[in-house]
Each structure stands twice: as C-alpha cells, then as structure tokens.
Amino acid sequence: MKNQIFLLFLLFSICTTYAQHRQQDDTIKRLYLDEYPYANVLEYLNNPDTIFFCHYYPRRTEEKKTPFAISLFVYRKNQEWWATTLYSYVSGNSCKRKYYWKLTNPMWIETDLTPEIASAISELDSLHYGYDISILHTWVYINCGRIITKDLIGNIRDFANIVPKFSYVFTVCFLESSNNNIVKTFRTTVSCRRRSR
C-alpha cells in the first residue's frame, strides 16, 4: 500500500511540475491590456504604439489599504518617455469582493530610456525558464518595434540578479513617475453568483 501511495504521489508531482512549464509566445494576446480597466487606461493614454507594461505583485499576502498589484505603464509621447502607475486594491469578503484601481497622473521620465529599453528587450528575449514552481509572477508586455510578453518569476529582488536591465527600467520609471495625484478611479464588484461592473 505504501508503495502504491508513493508511486501515485510521484506521478502527481511529475504531472504538476510539467503542467507548470510555461512556453513563451510573442504572438500571444495582450491579456491584461485587453481587460478592464487596463484597456481603459490605454484609451486614456491615447493608445500609444510604443509601450512597456509591467503588472507587478509587491507582496505575497494582502494587507488592508495597500495595493495588491501595481501596473506600470511606460510609453512614448512626442519622442519622450512617460509613465503612470495603476494601483490595484481589493476589499470585502470572499463572497462579495470590491476591486478598485487608482491611476496616477502621467509623468515625464527625465532619464533617456531608449538604450535601456533596447537592452531590457534583449535580456527578456533571451530569458527562458525551465520549470516554473513559483506562485509569484510579474507579467510583462513590451511593444517597441516588436512584441515581447514574459512571465517573470519572483519579485524585484530576483529581477536585480536575473534581469538587471529590466529591473533598472522598472525602478527608474516607477520612481520618476511616482506621485499621489489620482486622475482616474475604476471600480468593479465580483460576487459569488455573478460579476458586475
């Protein structure tokens, strides 16, 4: 009996690990950016054709009145780089959750990011994970001459070692565009039986 349970556990582990293996595809649909409120943010930004988007989870656990996710939009406007942050919040119980997002005022990025973004693209393009066993992911979408989509494993500490150019762009854009001027707020409620906006 013990051998059968062990073999069953081993088979389950192998199947789970294999199922977590991720294939990266540059032709993938834009996922987050096609959904509410991300598509609304792009519309607010006049649908830029050059964009560096990063959906980042700052912590593993939810804490009251703190964002559970940060979405950084970096884009080109009039040959200059701009950035804005969409903070994601959640409140309520497991049966009726209220999601809301706060978009900060877009700010001009003083640092010339063009060579750094080119380096970050090369770095992300060459990054391939074998098997994915992490629960913490950062989703990256870049449209700068061509489209790159990546699921990065871990958080900013990991990025500094694994993808330092990406880490630099993310940090510079987040810090240089950081402000408390909220220009748009989005809301939605998700209940156990139905979804409403």
Side-chain angles (χ1 to χ4, degrees):
M1 182 68 172
K2 288 182 182 179
N3 288 342
Q4 291 173 336
I5 292 174
F6 176 74
L7 288 174
L8 186 61
F9 174 75
L10 185 61
L11 179 64
F12 177 74
S13 298
I14 291 169
C15 291
T16 303
T17 304
Y18 182 75
Q20 291 177 349
H21 180 68
R22 293 185 176 263
Q23 297 290 329
Q24 298 297 329
D25 183 3
D26 290 348
T27 62
I28 195 167
K29 190 179 174 190
R30 295 190 323 176
L31 298 176
Y32 280 110
L33 296 178
D34 287 335
E35 298 177 2
Y36 176 85
Y38 308 99
N40 302 65
V41 172
L42 286 178
E43 187 177 321
Y44 177 78
L45 300 176
N46 295 319
N47 293 307
D49 57 0
T50 300
I51 187 167
F52 182 103
F53 172 80
C54 179
H55 186 74
Y56 177 74
Y57 293 94
R59 61 185 52 81
R60 291 174 195 232
T61 58
E62 295 177 11
E63 293 179 26
K64 199 171 184 178
K65 297 185 179 178
T66 60
F68 72 87
I70 296 169
S71 297
L72 182 66
F73 293 79
V74 181
Y75 60 99
R76 282 193 75 117
K77 180 174 80 171
N78 300 328
Q79 304 304 315
E80 295 177 327
W81 290 101
W82 291 72
T84 185
T85 304
L86 182 70
Y87 293 98
S88 305
Y89 299 88
V90 64
S91 63
N93 60 31
S94 60
C95 193
K96 188 170 185 180
R97 295 193 142 213
K98 295 180 181 179
Y99 292 88
Y100 57 100
W101 298 266
K102 293 182 178 181
L103 181 67
T104 64
N105 187 43
M107 302 288 284
W108 170 61
I109 303 300
E110 187 175 347
T111 305
D112 181 17
L113 295 174
T114 306
E116 301 299 334
I117 286 186
S119 296
I121 288 172
S122 296
E123 187 177 68
L124 290 170
D125 201 28
S126 65
L127 179 67
H128 298 287
Y129 295 107
Y131 290 92
D132 174 5
I133 56 172
S134 173
I135 59 170
L136 195 60
H137 288 265
T138 295
W139 191 75
V140 179
Y141 170 86
I142 301 173
N143 187 351
C144 187
R146 65 190 184 99
I147 294 174
I148 301 272
T149 57
K150 287 285 179 182
D151 269 333
L152 297 179
I153 298 172
N155 59 25
I156 199 70
R157 287 176 305 201
D158 305 309
F159 303 158
N161 295 323
I162 300 168
V163 282
K165 297 294 185 183
F166 166 82
S167 182
Y168 173 80
V169 171
F170 176 83
T171 305
V172 165
C173 292
F174 182 70
L175 292 176
E176 286 195 25
S177 67
S178 181
N179 68 84
N180 292 325
N181 186 8
I182 305 301
V183 293
K184 282 242 181 227
T185 302
F186 305 93
R187 298 179 189 282
T188 187
T189 302
V190 177
S191 63
C192 292
R193 295 182 182 178
R194 63 178 185 172
R195 294 177 179 233
S196 63
R197 275 191 193 145

